[in-house]
């Protein structure tokens, strides 16, 4: 028989957003969403007895592991003669934990945005743990590892709009996913397209789907997200028509069409700055003036007209004003850009780079075209 | 099997499961009745190839049939052939209609598989649990594992030591009959049962393949015994979806299935406290029927804890096997000259004689090599390639030695009157590509059987009018 595969699923479960979804023109409420997802998860387990599964929930303000196929089997569950025992454990564990957690939410926390990134990070950590514990076994050589965890996948079922603050953590997760060879698939179940998750799927070779027929969620899930990469070579999965590659600036967390990039640490800014907030490189004043002059006349709000790419985050909450550049710089220097942070000491401001190249104006690439077969729904 | 060497692993992937050809040979009526049980559908679904499973899944939740072209739009250009093959396989199992313009799953299969995934229904096909017994708790996993291991190794050990004059414990009469019927053992000249060359090959298979080999024979036998095949298969599939360590009730089983309990107990697939007990527990052999996890808890003796491989092979043909298991020692004895035995270690040499003996028994060089690879010690797995190349090559060369002579039928053409005549005929024969051997000084050559009539005709034509 064939090799097993691992699937991690992140469910985005903010009650407010689901309430909106239930009163949409194409209503899809949480219970019916869960029943679709549970059947999909059962289908993954049914594919191969050794397939492993981990399910994470992103709730407002915090995230939680809902189920892992490594969990011990609960003793007290009675056996139902009409269903396969592993399915019963799975369904039972997930619905029980979700309900317990949603009931415990109070009104303060439920107003917070959903901790989707935290859940994604947890899922990646879990995959990492699986691969390292396998490697730590005495019998585990490289060959065996591959057979135990051949192509881990991560499926994100999101209903939240883009959160501009989460750009850097999402990109960090994408980098670690690439390193772990995890494919990130994204299904935007409700709400507008999310730029960041779209990029995450594109960068890890996964597939991004914006759900159009919401009553056919299960069919979408099975056709696009059930096949492991080896099957995707034969049966195509839909990929994006367009990928929105826009980034968020490090200074105000706005999604920008045109940005300015520090040539030392590659930090992105929405306007020319005299000092890079990440690596503290000082830029020559001449460059600043030239760049300021060459700026197209853009309104200061990030969501203004003037962008040709589809707007994806009309409802993005603005950054709290308290976060300044230095706080961001710390968070980046520990994770995202491990480049020449130390090399560019304040005493050696621009190094040998010519002034013309120190702060560059960049336009983010717009779109990549793909073919997409239509779903037979 | 994750422990197999890579090429062997890929080979395995391409070959369909042993049961599928058997299912394909069944009538549509039988299969349709089988598909009525959700547990059977789930198990058959698991036996399918990955691509076939995905196709089934894609079609499972569609209410109406879709056109073949819609589905074709999803197939990558390189995968057309694989896709067509998968469709053909599915239609042979009557899961898909054969060569229709629209694709839709067999209605009964679809309903049952949906029910398996969502739960519900009243079929009870996943096994009705026995009521809690307050006096005695059910068997624990260790009991089940050691029971399965003991039963299974009894069978194998009986086979391997049948020719050696030892007197191992005999398996039950039913098992002996099955071994004989399947051709794994036979009695030459009315003597006691002896292992056959098929049986030797069988011993080197993985436990999973061995189990299915025997079960397939059991299914063939069931057909002859007029047992209802649907009941037999349904029971096996039900076992494979049961939970290890639970007790199930025999109340809801049909008469056929109750009769099977005894046989399956002999093979070690199920455990019962007493032969006529009203409850049974599946063992690991039973619950892993449709998965690829190891069906036996440990294939070495109870004392030593090595779960994976136990064989160390050196470049000097010396073999160290860390085992105290008589069965494994006996299997090694098939192709190794054993030298010393210690409480947990057997040392031997792979020699020309020992390999020749194995080859005589019908074992092939590839089987020896793949057995050594499968059971290689974890320390060996650090090597690349896994086995010393010299030893692998030598085993293959010894096999080739057996095939030094090759016979083919034909005609010897001699007594040509002149060199020119000889060359003329020889050239003609060469054009036909039928010359197997030639000797110019003796003016003779040997042609194969196929070319004879034409050469004869050619010579006759030449003798009648030599000038043309």
């Amino acid at each position: 028989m064939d090799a097993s595969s691992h699937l991690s699923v992140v469910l985005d479960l903010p009650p407010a957003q689901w309430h909106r979804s239930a009163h949409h023109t194409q209503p899809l409420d949480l219970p019916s969403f869960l029943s679709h997802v549970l059947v999909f998860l059962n289908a993954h387990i049914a594919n191969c007895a050794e397939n492993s599964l981990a399910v994470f929930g992103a709730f407002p303000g915090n995230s939680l592991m809902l189920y892992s196929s490594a969990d011990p089997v609960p003793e007290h569950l009675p056996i139902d003669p009409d269903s396969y025992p592993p399915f019963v454990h799975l369904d039972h564990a997930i619905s029980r934990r979700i309900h317990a957690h949603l009931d415990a939410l109070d009104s303060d926390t439920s107003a917070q945005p959903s901790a989707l990134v935290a859940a994604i990070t947890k899922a990646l950590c879990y995959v990492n743990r699986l691969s390292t514990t396998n490697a730590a076994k005495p019998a585990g050589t490289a060959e065996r590892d591959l057979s135990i965890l051949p192509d881990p996948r991560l499926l994100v079922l999101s209903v939240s709009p883009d959160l501009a603050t989460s750009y850097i953590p999402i990109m960090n997760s994408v980098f670690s996913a690439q390193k772990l060879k995890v494919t990130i698939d994204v299904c935007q179940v409700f709400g507008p397209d999310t730029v960041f998750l779209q990029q995450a799927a594109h960068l890890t070779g996964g597939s991004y789907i914006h759900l159009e027929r919401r009553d056919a969620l299960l069919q979408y899930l099975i056709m696009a997200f059930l096949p492991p990469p080896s099957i995707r070579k034969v049966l195509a999965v839909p990929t994006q028509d367009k990928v929105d590659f826009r980034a968020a600036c490090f200074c105000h967390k706005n999604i920008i069409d045109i940005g300015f990039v520090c040539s030392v640490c590659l930090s992105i800014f929405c306007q020319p700055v005299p000092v890079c907030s990440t690596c503290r490189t000082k830029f020559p004043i001449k460059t600043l003036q030239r760049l300021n002059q060459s700026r197209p006349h853009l309104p200061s709000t990030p969501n203004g007209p003037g962008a040709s790419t589809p707007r994806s985050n009309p409802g993005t909450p603005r950054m709290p004003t308290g976060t300044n550049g230095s706080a961001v710089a710390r968070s980046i220097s520990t994770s995202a850009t491990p480049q020449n942070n130390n090399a560019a000491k304040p005493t050696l401001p621009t190094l040998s780079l010519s002034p013309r190249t120190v702060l560059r104006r960049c336009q983010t690439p717009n779109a990549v075209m793909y073919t997409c077969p239509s779903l037979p729904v | 099997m994750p422990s197999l060497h890579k090429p062997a692993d890929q080979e395995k992937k391409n070959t369909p499961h042993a049961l599928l050809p058997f299912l394909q040979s069944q009538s549509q009526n039988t299969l349709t009745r089988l598909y009525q049980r959700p547990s059977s559908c789930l198990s058959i679904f698991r036996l399918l190839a990955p691509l076939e499973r995905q196709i089934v899944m894609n079609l499972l939740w569609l209410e109406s049939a879709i056109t073949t072209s819609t589905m074709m739009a999803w197939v990558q250009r390189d995968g057309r052939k694989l896709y067509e093959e998968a469709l053909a396989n599915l239609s042979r199992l009557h899961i898909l209609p054969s060569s229709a313009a629209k694709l839709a799953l067999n209605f009964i299969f679809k309903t049952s598989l949906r029910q398996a995934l969502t739960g519900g229904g009243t079929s009870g096909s996943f096994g009705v649990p026995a009521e809690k017994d307050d006096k005695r708790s059910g068997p624990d996993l260790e009991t089940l594992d050691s029971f399965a291991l003991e039963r299974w190794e009894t069978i194998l050990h009986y086979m391997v030591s049948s020719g050696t004059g030892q007197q191992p414990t005999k398996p039950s009469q039913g098992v002996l009959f099955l071994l004989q019927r399947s051709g794994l053992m036979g009695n030459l000249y009315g003597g006691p049962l002896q292992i056959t060359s098929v049986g030797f090959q069988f011993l080197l298979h993985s436990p999973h393949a061995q189990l299915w080999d025997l079960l397939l024979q059991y299914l063939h036998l069931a057909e002859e015994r007029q047992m209802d095949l649907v009941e037999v298969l349904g029971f096996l599939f039900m076992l494979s979806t049961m939970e290890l360590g639970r007790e199930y009730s025999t109340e809801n089983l049909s008469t056929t299935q109750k009769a099977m309990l005894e046989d399956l107990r002999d093979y070690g697939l199920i455990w019962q406290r007493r032969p006529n007990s009203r409850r049974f527990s599946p063992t690991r052999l039973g619950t892993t029927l449709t998965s690829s996890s190891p069906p036996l808890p440990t294939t070495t003796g109870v004392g030593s804890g090595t779960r994976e491989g136990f064989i160390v092979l050196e470049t000097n043909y010396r073999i160290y096997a860390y085992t105290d298991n008589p069965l494994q020692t006996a299997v090694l004895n098939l192709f190794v000259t054993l030298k010393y035995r210690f409480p947990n270690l057997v040392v031997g040499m792979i020699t020309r004689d020992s390999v020749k003996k194995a080859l005589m028994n019908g074992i092939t060089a590839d089987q020896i090599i793949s057995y050594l690879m499968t059971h290689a010690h974890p320390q060996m797995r650090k090597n690349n390639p896994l086995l010393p190349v010299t030893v692998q090559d030598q085993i293959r060369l010894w096999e080739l030695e057996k095939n030094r002579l090759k016979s083919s039928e034909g005609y010897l053409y001699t007594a040509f009157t002149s060199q020119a005549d000889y060359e003329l005929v020889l050239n003609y024969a060469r054009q036909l590509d039928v010359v197997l051997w030639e000797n110019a000084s003796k003016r003779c050559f040997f042609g194969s059987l196929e070319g004879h009539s034409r050469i004869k005709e050619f010579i006759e034509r030449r003798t009648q009018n030599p000038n043309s």
Side-chain angles (χ1 to χ4, degrees), chain A residues 1-3 38-39 42-50 73-87 89 91 138-139 141 143-144 146-148 218-219 222-224 226-228 230-238 373-377, chain B residues 2-6 12-13 17 42 45-47 50-51 53-55 57-58 61-62 66 70-71 73-76 79 82-83 115-129 208 240-241 243 246 248 289-293 308 378 381-382:
Chain A
M1 256 160 275
D2 51 317
L38 287 179
V39 170
N42 285 349
H44 173 72
I45 303 251
N47 246 335
C48 176
E50 281 77 43
V73 173
E75 287 287 323
H76 57 274
L77 266 187
I79 289 184
D80 176 8
D82 297 320
S83 42
Y84 184 46
F87 295 168
H89 301 157
D91 299 359
T141 58
E143 198 180 315
R144 282 187 69 81
L146 288 177
S147 64
I148 290 169
L218 180 60
Q219 189 64 26
I222 282 181
M223 289 201 82
L226 189 63
S230 57
I231 297 296
R232 294 184 188 189
K233 285 182 194 139
V234 182
L235 286 179
V237 295
S374 62
L375 274 166
V377 286
Chain B
S3 54
L4 268 184
H5 195 242
K6 259 201 177 144
K12 239 182 148 172
K13 248 182 219 175
H17 193 272
L42 182 65
F45 174 73
R46 282 192 168 169
L47 298 179
L51 181 60
R53 289 200 299 253
Q54 184 60 38
I55 294 174
M57 270 295 166
N58 282 352
W61 299 96
L62 296 177
I66 62 166
T70 317
M71 197 65 191
W74 285 74
V75 184
Q76 309 261 23
L82 287 171
Y83 172 76
Q115 214 171 69
L117 286 181
T118 54
T122 51
S123 58
S125 70
F126 289 93
V128 179
H208 213 262
S240 75
T241 56
E243 202 178 331
R246 297 268 190 168
Y248 290 87
L289 273 178
T290 54
S291 74
S292 49
S293 54
E308 325 240 331
R381 298 201 174 274
K382 290 179 184 158

Side-chain angles (χ1 to χ4, degrees), chain A residues 340-365:
Chain A
N340 312 329
N341 285 356
N342 299 329
K345 280 175 188 155
T347 46
L348 292 171
T350 54
L351 295 169
S352 59
L353 295 163
S354 79
R356 290 170 58 82
T357 59
V358 168
L359 194 62
R360 272 178 297 194
R361 195 182 137 200
C362 276
Q363 175 133 31
T364 45

